Coordinates of all heavy atoms in Angstrom, one line a residue:
Y64 N 93.4 136.8 87.7 CA 94.7 137.5 87.8 C 95.7 136.5 88.3 O 95.8 136.1 89.5 CB 94.6 138.6 88.7 CG 93.6 139.6 88.3 CD1 92.3 139.6 88.9 CD2 93.8 140.5 87.3 CE1 91.3 140.5 88.5 CE2 92.9 141.4 86.9 CZ 91.6 141.4 87.5 OH 90.7 142.3 87.1
L65 N 96.6 136.0 87.4 CA 97.5 135.0 87.7 C 98.9 135.4 87.2 O 99.0 136.1 86.2 CB 97.2 133.6 87.0 CG 95.8 133.0 87.4 CD1 95.5 131.9 86.5 CD2 95.9 132.6 88.9
A66 N 99.9 135.0 87.9 CA 101.3 135.2 87.5 C 102.0 133.9 87.3 O 101.8 133.0 88.1 CB 102.1 136.1 88.5
W67 N 102.7 133.7 86.2 CA 103.4 132.5 85.9 C 104.9 132.8 86.1 O 105.5 133.6 85.4 CB 103.1 132.2 84.5 CG 103.6 130.8 84.0 CD1 104.6 130.6 83.1 CD2 103.0 129.6 84.3 NE1 104.7 129.3 82.9 CE2 103.8 128.6 83.6 CE3 102.0 129.1 85.2 CZ2 103.5 127.2 83.7 CZ3 101.8 127.8 85.3 CH2 102.5 126.8 84.6
V68 N 105.6 132.2 87.1 CA 106.9 132.6 87.5 C 107.9 131.5 87.3 O 107.7 130.4 87.8 CB 106.9 133.0 89.0 CG1 108.3 133.5 89.4 CG2 105.9 134.1 89.3
D69 N 108.9 131.8 86.6 CA 110.0 130.8 86.3 C 111.1 130.9 87.4 O 111.7 131.9 87.5 CB 110.6 131.1 84.9 CG 111.7 130.1 84.5 OD1 112.0 129.2 85.3 OD2 112.3 130.3 83.5
L70 N 111.3 129.8 88.1 CA 112.3 129.8 89.2 C 113.4 128.8 88.9 O 114.1 128.4 89.8 CB 111.6 129.4 90.5 CG 110.6 130.4 91.1 CD1 109.9 129.8 92.3 CD2 111.2 131.7 91.4
S71 N 113.6 128.6 87.6 CA 114.6 127.6 87.2 C 116.1 128.0 87.6 O 116.9 127.2 87.6 CB 114.5 127.3 85.7 OG 114.7 128.5 84.9
N72 N 116.3 129.3 87.8 CA 117.6 129.7 88.3 C 117.9 129.3 89.7 O 119.1 129.3 90.1 CB 117.8 131.2 88.2 CG 117.9 131.7 86.7 OD1 118.4 131.0 85.9 ND2 117.5 132.9 86.5
Y73 N 116.9 128.9 90.4 CA 117.1 128.5 91.8 C 116.7 127.1 92.1 O 117.2 126.5 93.1 CB 116.2 129.4 92.7 CG 116.5 130.9 92.5 CD1 115.7 131.7 91.7 CD2 117.6 131.5 93.1 CE1 116.0 133.0 91.5 CE2 117.9 132.8 92.9 CZ 117.1 133.6 92.1 OH 117.4 134.9 91.9
F74 N 115.9 126.5 91.3 CA 115.4 125.1 91.5 C 115.6 124.3 90.3 O 115.6 124.7 89.2 CB 113.9 125.1 91.8 CG 113.5 125.9 93.1 CD1 113.3 127.2 93.0 CD2 113.4 125.2 94.3 CE1 112.9 127.9 94.2 CE2 113.1 125.9 95.4 CZ 112.8 127.2 95.4
E75 N 115.9 123.0 90.6 CA 115.9 122.0 89.5 C 114.6 121.3 89.6 O 113.7 121.6 90.3 CB 117.1 121.1 89.7 CG 118.4 121.8 89.6 CD 119.6 120.9 89.9 OE1 119.5 119.7 89.9 OE2 120.7 121.5 90.1
A76 N 114.4 120.3 88.7 CA 113.1 119.6 88.7 C 112.9 119.0 90.0 O 113.5 118.0 90.4 CB 113.1 118.5 87.6
E77 N 112.0 119.6 90.8 CA 111.7 119.1 92.1 C 110.3 119.6 92.4 O 109.7 120.4 91.7 CB 112.7 119.5 93.2 CG 112.9 121.1 93.2 CD 114.1 121.5 94.0 OE1 115.2 121.4 93.5 OE2 113.9 121.8 95.2
K78 N 109.7 119.2 93.5 CA 108.4 119.6 93.9 C 108.5 121.0 94.6 O 108.5 121.1 95.8 CB 107.8 118.6 94.8 CG 107.5 117.3 94.1 CD 106.9 116.2 94.9 CE 106.6 115.0 94.1 NZ 106.0 113.9 94.8
I79 N 108.5 122.0 93.8 CA 108.6 123.4 94.3 C 107.5 123.7 95.3 O 107.8 124.4 96.3 CB 108.7 124.4 93.2 CG1 109.9 124.2 92.3 CG2 108.6 125.8 93.7 CD1 110.0 125.1 91.1
Y80 N 106.3 123.3 95.0 CA 105.2 123.7 95.9 C 105.4 123.2 97.3 O 105.0 123.9 98.3 CB 103.9 123.2 95.3 CG 103.7 121.7 95.2 CD1 103.2 121.0 96.2 CD2 104.2 121.0 94.1 CE1 103.0 119.6 96.2 CE2 104.1 119.7 94.0 CZ 103.5 119.0 95.0 OH 103.4 117.6 95.0
L81 N 106.0 122.0 97.5 CA 106.3 121.5 98.8 C 107.4 122.3 99.5 O 107.3 122.6 100.7 CB 106.8 120.0 98.7 CG 105.7 119.0 98.6 CD1 106.3 117.6 98.5 CD2 104.8 119.0 99.8
Y82 N 108.4 122.8 98.8 CA 109.4 123.6 99.4 C 108.8 124.9 99.9 O 109.1 125.3 101.1 CB 110.5 124.0 98.3 CG 111.5 124.9 98.8 CD1 112.6 124.4 99.5 CD2 111.5 126.2 98.6 CE1 113.6 125.2 100.0 CE2 112.5 127.1 99.1 CZ 113.5 126.6 99.8 OH 114.5 127.4 100.3
F83 N 107.9 125.5 99.2 CA 107.3 126.8 99.7 C 106.3 126.5 100.8 O 106.2 127.3 101.7 CB 106.7 127.5 98.5 CG 107.7 128.2 97.7 CD1 108.0 127.7 96.4 CD2 108.4 129.3 98.1 CE1 109.0 128.3 95.6 CE2 109.3 129.9 97.3 CZ 109.6 129.4 96.1
F84 N 105.6 125.4 100.7 CA 104.6 125.1 101.8 C 105.3 124.8 103.1 O 105.0 125.4 104.1 CB 103.7 123.9 101.3 CG 102.8 123.5 102.4 CD1 101.7 124.3 102.7 CD2 102.9 122.3 103.0 CE1 100.8 123.9 103.7 CE2 102.0 121.9 104.0 CZ 100.9 122.7 104.3
L85 N 106.3 123.9 103.0 CA 107.0 123.6 104.3 C 108.0 124.6 104.8 O 108.1 124.8 106.0 CB 107.8 122.2 104.0 CG 106.9 121.0 103.7 CD1 107.7 119.8 103.3 CD2 105.9 120.7 104.8
G86 N 108.7 125.3 103.8 CA 109.7 126.3 104.2 C 109.2 127.7 104.4 O 109.9 128.5 105.1
A87 N 108.1 128.1 103.8 CA 107.6 129.5 103.9 C 106.2 129.6 104.3 O 105.7 130.7 104.5 CB 107.8 130.1 102.5
G88 N 105.5 128.5 104.4 CA 104.1 128.6 104.8 C 103.2 129.2 103.7 O 102.2 129.8 104.0
V89 N 103.6 129.0 102.5 CA 102.8 129.6 101.4 C 102.4 128.4 100.5 O 103.2 127.6 100.1 CB 103.7 130.6 100.5 CG1 102.9 131.1 99.3 CG2 104.2 131.7 101.4
L90 N 101.1 128.3 100.2 CA 100.6 127.3 99.3 C 100.6 127.8 97.9 O 99.8 128.7 97.6 CB 99.2 126.8 99.8 CG 98.6 125.7 99.1 CD1 99.5 124.4 99.2 CD2 97.3 125.4 99.7
L91 N 101.4 127.2 97.0 CA 101.5 127.6 95.6 C 101.1 126.4 94.8 O 101.1 125.2 95.2 CB 102.9 128.0 95.3 CG 103.5 129.2 96.0 CD1 104.9 129.3 95.7 CD2 102.7 130.4 95.7
E92 N 100.8 126.7 93.5 CA 100.5 125.6 92.6 C 101.7 125.5 91.7 O 102.1 126.4 91.0 CB 99.3 126.0 91.7 CG 98.0 126.1 92.6 CD 96.8 126.6 91.9 OE1 97.0 127.5 91.0 OE2 95.7 126.1 92.1
G93 N 102.3 124.2 91.6 CA 103.4 124.0 90.7 C 103.0 124.0 89.3 O 101.9 123.6 88.9
G94 N 103.8 124.5 88.4 CA 103.5 124.7 87.0 C 103.2 123.4 86.3 O 102.4 123.3 85.4
N95 N 103.8 122.2 86.8 CA 103.5 121.0 86.2 C 102.1 120.5 86.3 O 101.7 119.5 85.7 CB 104.5 119.9 86.7 CG 104.4 119.7 88.2 OD1 103.7 120.4 88.9 ND2 105.1 118.7 88.7
M96 N 101.3 121.2 87.2 CA 99.9 120.9 87.3 C 99.1 121.3 86.0 O 98.0 120.9 85.8 CB 99.3 121.5 88.5 CG 99.8 120.9 89.8 SD 99.2 121.8 91.3 CE 97.4 121.5 91.1
F97 N 99.7 122.2 85.3 CA 99.0 122.9 84.2 C 99.7 122.7 82.8 O 98.9 122.6 81.8 CB 99.0 124.4 84.4 CG 98.4 124.7 85.8 CD1 99.2 125.0 86.8 CD2 97.0 124.7 86.0 CE1 98.7 125.3 88.1 CE2 96.5 125.0 87.2 CZ 97.3 125.3 88.3
V98 N 101.0 122.6 82.7 CA 101.7 122.5 81.5 C 102.9 121.5 81.6 O 103.5 121.5 82.6 CB 102.2 123.8 81.0 CG1 103.0 123.7 79.7 CG2 101.1 124.9 80.9
Q99 N 103.1 120.7 80.6 CA 104.3 119.8 80.6 C 105.6 120.6 80.6 O 105.6 121.7 80.1 CB 104.3 118.9 79.4 CG 103.2 117.8 79.5 CD 103.2 116.9 78.3 OE1 104.0 117.1 77.3 NE2 102.4 115.9 78.3
N100 N 106.6 120.0 81.2 CA 108.0 120.7 81.2 C 108.0 122.0 81.9 O 108.6 122.9 81.4 CB 108.5 120.8 79.7 CG 108.6 119.5 79.0 OD1 109.0 118.5 79.7 ND2 108.3 119.4 77.8
S101 N 107.3 122.1 83.0 CA 107.2 123.4 83.7 C 107.5 123.1 85.2 O 106.9 123.8 86.1 CB 105.9 124.1 83.5 OG 104.8 123.2 83.9
D102 N 108.4 122.2 85.5 CA 108.6 121.8 86.9 C 109.2 122.9 87.7 O 109.1 123.0 88.9 CB 109.6 120.6 86.9 CG 109.0 119.3 86.5 OD1 107.7 119.2 86.5 OD2 109.7 118.4 86.1
C103 N 109.8 123.9 87.1 CA 110.5 125.0 87.8 C 109.6 126.3 87.8 O 110.1 127.4 88.1 CB 111.9 125.3 87.3 SG 113.0 123.9 87.5
F104 N 108.4 126.1 87.5 CA 107.5 127.3 87.5 C 106.5 127.2 88.6 O 106.1 126.1 89.0 CB 106.7 127.3 86.1 CG 107.5 127.8 85.0 CD1 108.4 126.9 84.3 CD2 107.4 129.1 84.5 CE1 109.1 127.3 83.2 CE2 108.1 129.5 83.3 CZ 108.9 128.6 82.7
I105 N 106.0 128.4 89.1 CA 104.9 128.4 90.0 C 103.9 129.3 89.4 O 104.1 130.2 88.6 CB 105.3 128.9 91.4 CG1 106.0 130.3 91.3 CG2 106.2 127.9 92.1 CD1 106.2 130.9 92.7
R106 N 102.6 129.1 89.8 CA 101.5 130.0 89.4 C 101.0 130.6 90.7 O 100.6 130.0 91.6 CB 100.4 129.1 88.8 CG 99.3 130.0 88.1 CD 98.3 129.1 87.5 NE 97.3 128.8 88.4 CZ 96.0 128.4 88.1 NH1 95.7 128.4 86.8 NH2 95.2 128.2 89.0
L107 N 101.0 132.0 90.6 CA 100.5 132.8 91.7 C 99.1 133.3 91.4 O 99.0 133.9 90.3 CB 101.5 133.9 92.0 CG 102.9 133.6 92.4 CD1 103.7 134.9 92.5 CD2 102.9 132.9 93.7
N108 N 98.2 133.2 92.4 CA 96.9 133.9 92.2 C 97.1 135.3 92.9 O 97.3 135.4 94.1 CB 95.9 133.1 92.9 CG 94.5 133.6 92.7 OD1 94.3 134.8 92.4 ND2 93.5 132.8 93.0
L109 N 96.9 136.3 92.1 CA 97.1 137.7 92.5 C 95.7 138.3 92.9 O 95.7 139.5 93.4 CB 97.7 138.5 91.5 CG 99.1 138.0 90.9 CD1 99.6 138.9 89.8 CD2 100.1 137.9 92.1
A110 N 94.7 137.6 92.8 CA 93.3 138.1 93.1 C 93.0 137.9 94.6 O 92.2 137.0 95.0 CB 92.3 137.4 92.2
C111 N 93.7 138.7 95.4 CA 93.5 138.6 96.9 C 93.8 140.0 97.4 O 94.3 140.8 96.8 CB 94.3 137.5 97.5 SG 96.1 137.8 97.3
P112 N 93.5 140.2 98.7 CA 93.8 141.5 99.3 C 95.3 141.8 99.3 O 96.1 140.9 99.4 CB 93.3 141.3 100.8 CG 92.3 140.2 100.7 CD 92.7 139.3 99.6
K113 N 95.6 143.0 99.1 CA 97.0 143.5 98.9 C 97.9 143.0 100.1 O 99.0 142.6 99.9 CB 97.1 145.0 98.7 CG 98.4 145.5 98.4 CD 98.4 147.0 98.2 CE 99.8 147.5 97.9 NZ 99.8 149.0 97.7
S114 N 97.3 143.1 101.3 CA 98.1 142.7 102.5 C 98.5 141.3 102.5 O 99.6 140.9 102.8 CB 97.4 143.1 103.8 OG 96.1 142.3 103.8
I115 N 97.6 140.4 102.0 CA 97.9 139.0 101.9 C 98.9 138.7 100.8 O 99.9 137.9 101.0 CB 96.6 138.2 101.7 CG1 95.8 138.2 102.9 CG2 96.9 136.7 101.3 CD1 94.4 137.6 102.8
L116 N 98.8 139.4 99.7 CA 99.7 139.2 98.6 C 101.1 139.7 99.0 O 102.1 139.0 98.7 CB 99.2 140.1 97.4 CG 100.1 140.0 96.1 CD1 100.3 138.6 95.6 CD2 99.6 140.9 95.0
L117 N 101.2 140.8 99.7 CA 102.5 141.3 100.1 C 103.2 140.4 101.1 O 104.4 140.1 101.0 CB 102.4 142.7 100.7 CG 102.1 143.8 99.7 CD1 101.8 145.1 100.4 CD2 103.1 144.0 98.6
E118 N 102.4 139.8 102.0 CA 103.0 138.9 103.0 C 103.5 137.6 102.3 O 104.5 137.1 102.5 CB 102.0 138.5 104.1 CG 102.5 137.5 105.1 CD 103.7 138.0 105.9 OE1 103.9 139.2 106.1 OE2 104.4 137.1 106.4
G119 N 102.7 137.1 101.3 CA 103.0 135.9 100.6 C 104.3 136.1 99.8 O 105.2 135.3 99.7
L120 N 104.4 137.3 99.1 CA 105.5 137.6 98.3 C 106.8 137.7 99.1 O 107.9 137.3 98.7 CB 105.3 138.8 97.4 CG 104.3 138.7 96.3 CD1 104.0 140.0 95.7 CD2 104.8 137.7 95.3
K121 N 106.6 138.3 100.3 CA 107.8 138.4 101.2 C 108.3 137.0 101.6 O 109.5 136.8 101.6 CB 107.3 139.2 102.5 CG 108.4 139.3 103.5 CD 107.8 140.0 104.8 CE 108.6 139.6 105.9 NZ 107.9 139.5 107.1
R122 N 107.4 136.1 101.9 CA 107.8 134.8 102.3 C 108.4 134.0 101.2 O 109.4 133.3 101.3 CB 106.5 134.0 102.8 CG 106.0 134.5 104.1 CD 104.8 133.7 104.6 NE 104.2 134.2 105.8 CZ 103.3 133.5 106.4 NH1 102.9 132.3 106.0 NH2 102.8 134.1 107.5
I123 N 107.8 134.2 100.0 CA 108.4 133.6 98.8 C 109.8 134.1 98.5 O 110.7 133.3 98.2 CB 107.5 133.8 97.5 CG1 106.2 133.0 97.7 CG2 108.2 133.4 96.2 CD1 105.1 133.4 96.7
C124 N 110.0 135.4 98.6 CA 111.3 136.0 98.4 C 112.3 135.4 99.4 O 113.5 135.1 99.0 CB 111.3 137.5 98.4 SG 110.5 138.2 97.0
E125 N 111.9 135.3 100.6 CA 112.8 134.8 101.7 C 113.2 133.4 101.4 O 114.3 133.0 101.6 CB 112.2 135.0 103.0 CG 112.1 136.4 103.5 CD 111.3 136.6 104.8 OE1 110.6 135.6 105.3 OE2 111.3 137.7 105.3
A126 N 112.2 132.6 101.0 CA 112.5 131.2 100.7 C 113.4 131.0 99.5 O 114.3 130.2 99.5 CB 111.2 130.4 100.4
V127 N 113.2 131.9 98.4 CA 114.1 131.8 97.3 C 115.5 132.2 97.6 O 116.5 131.6 97.2 CB 113.5 132.7 96.1 CG1 114.6 132.8 95.0 CG2 112.2 132.1 95.6
L128 N 115.6 133.2 98.5 CA 117.0 133.7 98.9 C 117.6 132.5 99.7 O 118.8 132.3 99.5 CB 116.9 134.9 99.8 CG 118.2 135.5 100.3 CD1 119.1 135.9 99.1 CD2 117.9 136.7 101.2
T129 N 116.9 131.9 100.6 CA 117.5 130.7 101.3 C 118.0 129.7 100.3 O 119.1 129.1 100.5 CB 116.4 130.1 102.3 OG1 116.1 131.1 103.2 CG2 117.0 128.9 103.0
K130 N 117.1 129.3 99.3 CA 117.5 128.3 98.3 C 118.7 128.8 97.6 O 119.7 128.0 97.3 CB 116.3 128.1 97.4 CG 116.6 127.0 96.4 CD 116.6 125.6 97.1 CE 116.5 124.5 96.1 NZ 116.6 123.2 96.7
H131 N 118.8 130.1 97.2 CA 120.0 130.6 96.5 C 121.2 130.4 97.3 O 122.3 130.0 96.8 CB 119.7 132.1 96.2 CG 120.9 132.8 95.7 ND1 121.4 132.7 94.4 CD2 121.8 133.6 96.3 CE1 122.5 133.4 94.2 NE2 122.8 134.0 95.4
N132 N 121.1 130.8 98.6 CA 122.3 130.6 99.5 C 122.7 129.2 99.6 O 123.9 128.9 99.6 CB 122.0 131.2 100.9 CG 121.9 132.7 100.9 OD1 122.4 133.4 100.0 ND2 121.2 133.3 101.9
E133 N 121.8 128.3 99.7 CA 122.1 126.8 99.8 C 122.8 126.4 98.5 O 123.8 125.6 98.5 CB 120.9 126.0 100.0 CG 120.3 126.2 101.4 CD 118.9 125.5 101.5 OE1 118.4 124.9 100.5 OE2 118.4 125.5 102.6
K134 N 122.3 126.8 97.4 CA 122.8 126.3 96.1 C 124.1 127.0 95.7 O 125.0 126.3 95.2 CB 121.8 126.6 95.0 CG 122.1 126.1 93.6 CD 120.9 126.3 92.7 CE 121.2 125.7 91.3 NZ 120.1 125.8 90.4
Y135 N 124.3 128.3 95.9 CA 125.5 128.9 95.4 C 126.5 129.3 96.5 O 127.7 129.5 96.1 CB 125.0 130.2 94.7 CG 124.3 129.9 93.4 CD1 122.9 130.1 93.4 CD2 124.9 129.4 92.3 CE1 122.2 129.8 92.2 CE2 124.2 129.1 91.2 CZ 122.8 129.3 91.1 OH 122.1 129.0 90.0
L136 N 126.1 129.3 97.7 CA 127.1 129.7 98.7 C 127.4 128.5 99.6 O 128.3 128.6 100.5 CB 126.5 130.8 99.6 CG 126.2 132.1 98.8 CD1 125.6 133.1 99.8 CD2 127.4 132.7 98.1
G137 N 126.8 127.4 99.4 CA 127.1 126.2 100.1 C 126.6 126.2 101.5 O 127.0 125.4 102.4
E138 N 125.7 127.1 101.9 CA 125.1 127.2 103.2 C 123.9 126.3 103.3 O 123.2 126.0 102.3 CB 124.7 128.6 103.5 CG 125.8 129.6 103.5 CD 125.4 131.0 103.8 OE1 124.2 131.2 104.1 OE2 126.2 131.9 103.6
T139 N 123.7 125.8 104.5 CA 122.5 124.9 104.7 C 121.6 125.6 105.8 O 122.1 126.3 106.6 CB 122.8 123.5 105.1 OG1 123.6 123.5 106.2 CG2 123.5 122.8 104.0
K140 N 120.4 125.3 105.7 CA 119.5 125.8 106.7 C 119.5 125.1 108.0 O 119.7 123.9 108.0 CB 118.0 125.8 106.1 CG 117.1 126.6 106.9 CD 115.8 126.6 106.1 CE 114.7 127.4 106.9 NZ 113.5 127.4 106.2

């Protein structure tokens, strides 16, 4: 059970997995590990307990919102 998520609206070609690891405490697999030209994608493993999935998704959403604010509102963390 995997989800392939395109985050190109929020990120440019960068090491997304490091952003989520350092900024949200979530270890993700960057898309470029699996397919060429997928630097702005992440792969989520959904085969885990619901409580862990919900906590991870909450952290991911908060990190994306922070990135959105930095990119479009000019705010910095």
Side-chain angles (χ1 to χ4, degrees):
Y64 303 99
L65 300 169
W67 190 251
V68 183
D69 179 3
L70 296 173
S71 59
N72 285 334
Y73 303 99
F74 296 89
E75 295 178 16
E77 55 191 82
K78 295 182 179 179
I79 292 176
Y80 64 93
L81 278 178
Y82 177 81
F83 286 104
F84 177 68
L85 298 173
V89 178
L90 186 58
L91 299 173
E92 297 172 323
N95 59 354
M96 293 176 63
F97 307 99
V98 180
Q99 291 181 353
N100 300 320
S101 59
D102 290 339
C103 296
F104 286 78
I105 57 171
R106 188 178 89 156
L107 299 174
N108 184 342
L109 306 176
C111 63
K113 185 177 180 179
S114 60
I115 292 174
L116 180 60
L117 291 175
E118 178 63 26
L120 290 173
K121 177 183 156 217
R122 291 180 186 192
I123 290 168
C124 288
E125 289 171 353
V127 169
L128 182 60
T129 297
K130 186 69 169 180
H131 171 77
N132 289 339
E133 290 173 356
K134 186 172 181 178
Y135 294 106
L136 302 178
E138 298 175 11
T139 58
K140 191 173 180 180

